[in-house]
Every structure is written in structure tokens, then in C-alpha cells.
Amino acid sequence: MPREIALLGVPSCAGTHGPGQEKAPAAVRAAGLVEGLLSAGLAVRDHGDLPAVPFRTDPEHRNRQNLALVADVARSVADRVGALLDDGALPLVIGGDCTITLGVTAALVARRPDTGLIYFDGDVDLSVPDSTVSGVLDTMVLAHLLGEGAPELAGLGPRTPLLTADAVTAFGHDPVEVNAAERDRLARYGLRTHPCTGLTAPGADPVAAARAVRSDLAERYAHLLLHFDVDVIDSTELPLADFPHFNQGLPLAVALDCLAEFARAPQLAAVVVTEINPLRDQDGGLVRTLTDGLVRALAGAPE
């Protein structure tokens, strides 16, 4: 990573279903993220946080909870990340819920239209307001990136869709959690997917699979966005996520090795880390474990 890393916190729970994720940027800093990256020899500048957005209920809009607030946060993220990109830095955006990736993608596509996305997440997030049960917009991010769902989010950036299905690979999701409407979208889009069950099957090599994913996208796209939701990690080992996957996620060490493999891409243009909930970690040990893993992954030498 020869460029300066620009750390930005987005302490927002606008798009999720309960409190806690707004505390993640501060918790990760307290666990030594900046010091760890500097000690690893990386150039880092901490740009602080966007305004905090605590969780709130929205019973009047049951299939699109807090849509206006989510859109406001995403636009703020796009503006701030766009400025960091204009400065030539590599944004490292710590959320907050997954909807912040909409803003990061909008900023990237506006400046670097030839962008591909590694969606490293325990869920495919292909729900839309018309087919949702929960109405939680955190579960609809990829659908909105692909142009479906609420116009306020699908039309957030310079083009709709922000990304085509060819530009996206979903890696590590739990297939048990994919509902019928999401399965239909997966089939219709022909989306490239690597579910956790295949990655952890006997004889599988998940790091080699991660290497193949980044190589494939890098051959077709000049810039890569890495979205990393900690719920891709088996919650039995690291129960930090608000959408847990017990005994169905990737083992912690495997997830961090795959993250490091993705981060090695010379085309890496931005990294988003989402769904860390410090309220699930009373002594801070889980956040420290994750933060140390982030440092190791980001400090790996690019090819």
C-alpha cells in the first residue's frame, strides 16, 4: 500500500436494527488501529468521524426503515470519501452499518467508473423494500448498488445502477440466510458468488479462492472496492456482528487470511469495514482481536 491511508469513521446506525455500531470507530481506534498501521510502516492520516447517528425506530415506514436518514448518511459519506480520493489517498472507512458502502461506491464511481466490488459479507444483502420482512436497509445494500429498491438509494451516485452484476463478486455469505426473493435475484443477475459452505468444505482452499476472485476482478476492472462485513466471521469465534452467523461463517483466521489476500490487490481503491458492535464486547478483547487482524491484513505487501 504505497499510498497514504485515509482513515474515516462513520459512527452510524441509520440502516440497522439496534444500537451499538455507532460506537465502532472509537472502539477500533482505542484498540490501536492507527498505531498498529503506523508501526507496520504504513502512512496513515486520521480524518476523524462524520457526525454520529444513533439508532432510532421508524414504525411508520416498516419496509424501508429510516430511508431518508440512510440516504443522508450515504450522501455525506460520498462527499467526504470523494474529497479523500481527490487527495490521492486510500480511504479506509470504519462503520457503522453496511449502508455506508453505498456512499463509498458512489464516490468511487464518480471518479473511477471502472470499479469492481469484492462484497466480503456474511449475507448477500439482496432484499428490497417490496420483498423485505424486516425493512432494515442494512440487508438491501447490494440490491441498491445493482439499481433495485428505493430510488433514493439506487440513484445515489452518478449512474444507475452504480455497478453491474459483472462488476461484483459476493464472497463468504451464508447460503442458509438467502431468502427466496434473493435467490431469484442471484439467478437473474448471474452474480458470481462464493458461499462460506463451499469455502470451508473438505479440501477447499479459501485463500486460493480469494486470490482467484481478486485476480478475476482486477483483470476486468482498473479499481477495486473491498467491502468487509465482520458478520462473515463465524460468530462462535467472534460474536461482534449484529447479524450473527453461528457455525456458518468463516473461521476467524481464514477470514483474516482472505482479507489480507484481497488487500494485496494493487488496484485497491478503498476499504470499508462494517457491523462491528462494541456493545457485544464488554472487555474490548474481541475488538482488539479484530483490529490486530485488520492491521495484519492491510500491512501485507501488495503484488
Side-chain angles (χ1 to χ4, degrees):
M1 283 190 182
R3 288 172 293 158
E4 179 180 86
I5 294 175
L7 177 63
L8 176 66
V10 186
S12 174
C13 280
T16 190
H17 65 284
Q21 292 185 47
E22 80 281 2
K23 300 179 182 298
V28 171
R29 285 189 181 90
L33 178 63
V34 174
E35 294 84 356
L37 292 172
L38 290 171
S39 295
L42 299 175
V44 184
R45 180 177 299 181
D46 190 345
H47 292 262
D49 290 347
L50 292 178
V53 181
F55 172 73
R56 64 192 69 180
T57 58
D58 188 14
E60 300 303 315
H61 305 95
R62 290 179 179 268
N63 69 346
R64 56 196 74 203
Q65 297 270 305
N66 296 305
L67 173 59
L69 186 59
V70 168
D72 284 346
V73 172
R75 283 191 293 268
S76 296
V77 170
D79 289 345
R80 191 69 174 273
V81 170
L84 299 177
L85 290 168
D86 290 342
D87 286 341
L90 177 77
L92 170 58
V93 183
I94 307 293
D97 69 77
C98 287
T99 59
I100 67 175
T101 293
L102 292 164
V104 177
T105 308
L108 261 176
V109 168
R111 291 156 179 82
R112 302 170 187 176
D114 192 15
T115 290
L117 169 65
I118 300 170
Y119 203 75
F120 191 20
D121 197 303
D123 302 280
V124 291
D125 294 337
L126 281 170
S127 292
V128 295
D130 290 343
S131 67
T132 184
V133 174
S134 68
V136 175
L137 288 163
D138 194 38
T139 69
M140 309 183 202
V141 175
L142 197 48
H144 283 97
L145 288 173
L146 294 171
E148 295 197 55
E152 295 90 334
L153 298 180
L156 189 74
R159 66 189 185 198
T160 304
L162 275 168
L163 299 172
T164 63
D166 185 66
V168 179
T169 298
F171 192 92
H173 66 278
D174 178 0
V176 172
E177 299 292 336
V178 180
N179 63 36
E182 290 178 312
R183 287 195 295 272
D184 288 346
R185 287 189 181 85
L186 282 173
R188 173 158 49 86
Y189 282 117
L191 199 69
R192 292 174 174 84
T193 61
H194 294 263
C196 66
T197 46
L199 294 169
T200 57
D205 188 339
V207 176
R211 186 178 307 118
V213 164
R214 71 168 177 84
S215 297
D216 171 67
L217 281 170
E219 287 176 0
R220 296 180 291 112
Y221 293 90
H223 309 283
L224 296 182
L225 168 60
L226 174 55
H227 163 98
F228 173 50
D229 184 334
V230 301
D231 75 2
V232 78
I233 301 170
D234 187 339
S235 298
T236 307
E237 292 189 51
L238 194 84
L240 274 177
D242 272 349
F243 285 89
H245 298 280
F246 288 100
N247 298 313
Q248 278 294 95
L250 297 179
L252 173 62
V254 170
L256 293 174
D257 285 346
C258 290
L259 182 68
E261 191 61 46
F262 292 140
R264 292 182 67 201
Q267 300 85 356
L268 193 65
V271 179
V272 188
V273 182
T274 68
E275 212 180 318
I276 300 166
N277 190 336
L279 294 183
R280 298 178 177 275
D281 181 24
Q282 293 304 310
D283 67 359
L286 297 176
V287 174
R288 283 193 297 274
T289 295
L290 179 66
T291 301
D292 290 346
L294 284 173
V295 169
R296 290 194 302 273
L298 295 174
E303 290 187 339

